[in-house]
Amino acid sequence: MIKKLFIIYILLVSLFSYSQEYFNINDFIRKSKKSTEYVNFEKEKLIDEKENLLFNKKYLPNVSLNFTLPSYNRSISNIIQPDGAIAFRESNNANSRANLSVSQKIPFTGGDFSITNSFNRIDLLGDSQRSTSYSASWIGFNLSQPLNFFNSTKWDKKIHKAKLEFNDINYIRKNIEIKKKGIDTYFELISIKNQKQIVEKRINIAIKYNNVIKNLIKAGKVMAFDSIDSKLKILSLQKSINFIKKSESIKTENINIFFNSKFLNKKDVLESPKVGFELDELNFYIQRYLEAHTIIEENTLISLRKGIKQIEKNRFYEATLSMGVGFNNSAESYNDILQNPNQSQNFSLALDIPLLDFGKKRLQLEVSKSEYEIKISDLDLERKLTIQRITYLYEEINDLIIALKLEKERTNLLKIKLDRLEHLLFAKKILLKDFSESESDYYNSINDRLNILRNIYNKVIELEQIVFFEII
């Protein structure tokens, strides 16, 4: 009874240890969403979202309360008396201050508006005299406004909006890049597994043929020399299979590291990929690219436009208006500073007019405009070349799909031929060399099909990266 239970246990362990799972290319694409690279990509998106919130919060009121705790200062200075004698006087004081301020950017004009309130206490210390005085600014309103009609705030918002739209399409590109790595790992592993399967099949046929030769040798129908080629072939194939298995094991470990999980083992089976998608009309992809190109163009040019506009507005003069009004008071008693406040006003106009700049502003404007025109020309050339590339990619993908269908037919025919030759080989109607040539043609055709499939996926991924649109 114990022996039976032990055997059942061994069978269950073996079944669990060597159980196979089947994966296809879509499983690898989905698994790429769990990779470390994708997790970091999600964190980058979160950072961008927080930076966007931070940018918008810059235009909310800024409220601050500042305190200066008692600051102590003691100094001795010399004073010349009327009779010419020098006397030394000590200054000993402590100062405390509290300040409340509210500031707000003005989006429509590009200026700044602020409201302030402050309270001061000064304590004079010393042996000869002690006194305390107070001063306060009840409330003060201040406005600072550039007068050259260039609103930097408005341009910053336009630049930020262009950046957000560019980030959206850049996220698509990054997602496609990560998906491409998942697809590449799938084809790299399935190529190794296919090669292993091919070599194992060739070993089985070679062993089977060698057994046939042995039986014929025993029957005296062939010489012992005839078995040398089959033995050499078995040894060569066994040597290859050891390297292939090692590569499979290493690649499987690397894939699990990339996917950040132990979801794959070397016993698992990868299904042969298929062309599981259909292309839309060519104009659809060109239009998607043009939409993305408009966003890229705006993100590239808007900062240059801001620079040109700023130079134009500041070319002949720069002016800033500052004005304010407030109420303040000072007294020796805390209660008295709340009575009979004094009104204060300030007004200033800063004007900077370059009388002689030797044409520097004009040259600066010309350089900026030339850089802008060059960038427009580069973007236009890029647009034309990319549309041409989209057209070629579209045609290449369709040609590869046709080539894949033809290669499938070729593989089927070669398989029929190989099955017939196998019967002739075992019947000693053909030589091992003739069979090996057809065998190589058949397995090369299988590899060619896989290479065409991989090429199709690579071309589709390249098209996705150009048009910022996922096809697979």
Side-chain angles (χ1 to χ4, degrees):
M1 182 67 182
I2 296 175
K3 185 177 181 181
K4 289 182 179 179
L5 290 173
F6 180 75
I7 293 172
I8 293 172
Y9 172 77
I10 294 297
L11 290 174
L12 289 174
V13 170
S14 300
L15 181 63
F16 178 78
S17 301
Y18 295 99
S19 61
Q20 292 179 337
E21 291 190 37
Y22 290 81
F23 296 97
N24 57 40
I25 194 167
N26 291 326
D27 294 324
F28 273 58
I29 292 174
R30 286 192 293 270
K31 205 67 182 177
S32 64
K33 308 288 186 183
K34 303 295 184 181
S35 66
T36 301
E37 191 168 346
Y38 192 85
V39 171
N40 290 336
F41 166 59
E42 289 290 328
K43 291 178 181 177
E44 290 174 3
K45 287 176 63 177
L46 183 61
I47 291 173
D48 288 340
E49 291 174 4
K50 291 182 178 179
E51 286 181 347
N52 179 43
L53 289 174
L54 185 62
F55 178 85
N56 291 328
K57 287 181 182 295
K58 288 197 307 184
Y59 299 100
L60 296 176
N62 184 22
V63 182
S64 63
L65 179 61
N66 301 319
F67 291 97
T68 301
L69 297 178
S71 59
Y72 174 74
N73 180 48
R74 179 178 180 272
S75 63
I76 298 176
S77 58
N78 53 350
I79 300 176
I80 300 176
Q81 302 295 319
D83 59 358
I86 298 176
F88 293 92
R89 296 292 176 86
E90 178 186 34
S91 175
N92 199 356
N93 62 74
N95 187 8
S96 302
R97 182 180 179 86
N99 182 60
L100 174 65
S101 65
V102 180
S103 61
Q104 172 67 55
K105 291 182 179 293
I106 307 174
F108 300 106
T109 64
D112 292 284
F113 178 75
S114 63
I115 303 174
T116 59
N117 177 275
S118 63
F119 175 81
N120 247 355
R121 170 175 168 159
I122 300 176
D123 293 299
L124 296 179
L125 308 173
D127 297 333
S128 60
Q129 59 177 359
R130 287 178 176 270
S131 66
T132 300
S133 63
Y134 301 90
S135 65
S137 173
W138 285 18
I139 191 167
F141 301 93
N142 294 280
L143 173 67
S144 177
Q145 175 63 52
L147 298 180
N148 55 356
F149 304 102
F150 176 77
N151 191 340
S152 180
T153 302
K154 182 183 72 174
W155 280 99
D156 289 342
K157 286 190 172 184
K158 287 182 179 181
I159 291 172
H160 183 69
K161 180 182 177 183
K163 179 186 175 183
L164 290 179
E165 292 177 349
F166 176 77
N167 284 346
D168 288 339
I169 64 171
N170 207 34
Y171 296 150
I172 298 172
R173 173 182 285 170
K174 184 66 175 178
N175 187 56
I176 294 171
E177 288 175 358
I178 296 173
K179 179 176 69 176
K180 181 181 185 302
K181 292 183 178 180
I183 292 173
D184 286 341
T185 56
Y186 181 84
F187 276 104
E188 288 166 4
L189 183 58
I190 198 174
S191 295
I192 296 173
K193 286 183 175 291
N194 268 16
Q195 195 62 30
K196 185 183 77 169
Q197 189 177 16
I198 288 171
V199 174
E200 287 174 344
K201 287 180 179 179
R202 295 184 72 176
I203 289 174
N204 291 335
I205 293 175
I207 292 174
K208 186 177 179 182
Y209 175 72
N210 191 58
N211 292 333
V212 171
I213 294 296
K214 284 181 179 179
N215 292 332
L216 291 174
I217 291 172
K218 289 179 181 179
K221 295 182 179 180
V222 297
M223 296 184 296
F225 179 80
D226 292 338
S227 66
I228 293 178
D229 287 342
S230 63
K231 290 179 179 178
L232 289 172
K233 184 175 182 179
I234 292 171
L235 291 173
S236 176
L237 291 171
Q238 286 176 339
K239 178 180 168 183
S240 299
I241 198 69
N242 290 332
F243 287 106
I244 292 172
K245 287 181 177 179
K246 186 65 175 177
S247 298
E248 180 187 28
S249 178
I250 293 173
K251 191 63 188 176
T252 301
E253 291 177 8
N254 291 340
I255 289 173
N256 284 331
I257 291 173
F258 173 72
F259 288 140
N260 203 24
S261 67
K262 294 286 186 181
F263 90 104
L264 192 67
N265 65 71
K266 63 181 181 180
K267 296 294 183 181
D268 292 334
V269 178
L270 300 187
E271 298 176 3
S272 180
K274 300 178 182 179
V275 183
F277 56 85
E278 293 184 3
L279 293 178
D280 289 300
E281 295 293 329
L282 174 61
N283 286 336
F284 171 79
Y285 298 109
I286 293 176
Q287 187 59 38
R288 290 303 297 255
Y289 164 71
L290 291 176
E291 292 172 1
H293 180 76
T294 301
I295 295 173
I296 295 171
E297 184 179 49
E298 179 67 12
N299 183 66
T300 304
L301 296 177
I302 190 165
S303 294
L304 295 174
R305 286 203 296 268
K306 175 188 175 183
I308 292 172
K309 186 62 69 175
Q310 188 171 13
I311 294 172
E312 287 177 342
K313 295 297 183 182
N314 295 339
R315 183 178 177 183
F316 300 107
Y317 73 95
E318 293 183 35
T320 302
L321 172 65
S322 297
M323 55 188 303
V325 62
F327 297 91
N328 56 66
N329 204 353
S330 61
E332 294 182 356
S333 172
Y334 172 78
N335 294 329
D336 292 341
I337 63 171
L338 301 176
Q339 301 175 7
N340 303 319
N342 300 311
Q343 186 177 6
S344 64
Q345 300 89 20
N346 65 79
F347 177 87
S348 67
L349 177 62
L351 188 62
D352 182 8
I353 301 176
L355 298 178
L356 185 62
D357 70 344
F358 301 98
K360 289 186 289 186
K361 292 274 188 180
R362 177 179 57 81
L363 288 174
Q364 189 179 7
L365 181 60
E366 290 176 358
V367 169
S368 296
K369 286 184 176 180
S370 296
E371 290 175 347
Y372 183 77
E373 291 170 359
I374 291 172
K375 187 60 69 174
I376 288 179
S377 178
D378 289 341
L379 288 168
D380 185 59
L381 179 61
E382 179 187 349
R383 177 181 57 81
K384 292 176 181 177
L385 292 175
T386 305
I387 290 174
Q388 189 180 54
R389 180 59 185 155
I390 292 171
T391 305
Y392 288 156
L393 274 174
Y394 187 85
E395 293 174 356
E396 282 181 303
I397 294 169
N398 284 320
D399 290 342
L400 286 170
I401 291 173
I402 295 172
L404 180 63
K405 292 178 181 178
L406 295 175
E407 193 61 40
K408 283 182 179 179
E409 294 179 8
R410 180 171 177 269
T411 304
N412 293 334
L413 291 173
L414 288 171
K415 181 66 171 74
I416 295 171
K417 178 182 177 181
L418 190 64
D419 290 340
R420 292 174 181 176
L421 290 176
E422 185 178 340
H423 292 296
L424 294 175
L425 176 67
F426 294 152
K428 289 299 291 178
K429 298 294 180 67
I430 61 172
L431 297 175
L432 178 61
K433 179 182 178 182
D434 298 326
F435 175 81
S436 296
E437 290 178 356
S438 296
E439 186 183 43
S440 296
D441 289 340
Y442 169 66
Y443 290 122
N444 286 338
S445 178
I446 292 176
N447 288 330
D448 289 343
R449 281 176 53 190
L450 188 61
N451 289 333
I452 293 172
L453 267 168
R454 184 171 186 174
N455 204 3
I456 290 173
Y457 273 85
N458 285 337
K459 297 294 182 183
V460 172
I461 288 293
E462 185 180 351
L463 181 61
E464 288 183 350
Q465 289 175 323
I466 292 174
V467 302
F468 301 94
F469 177 77
E470 295 194 56
I471 302 170
I472 301 173

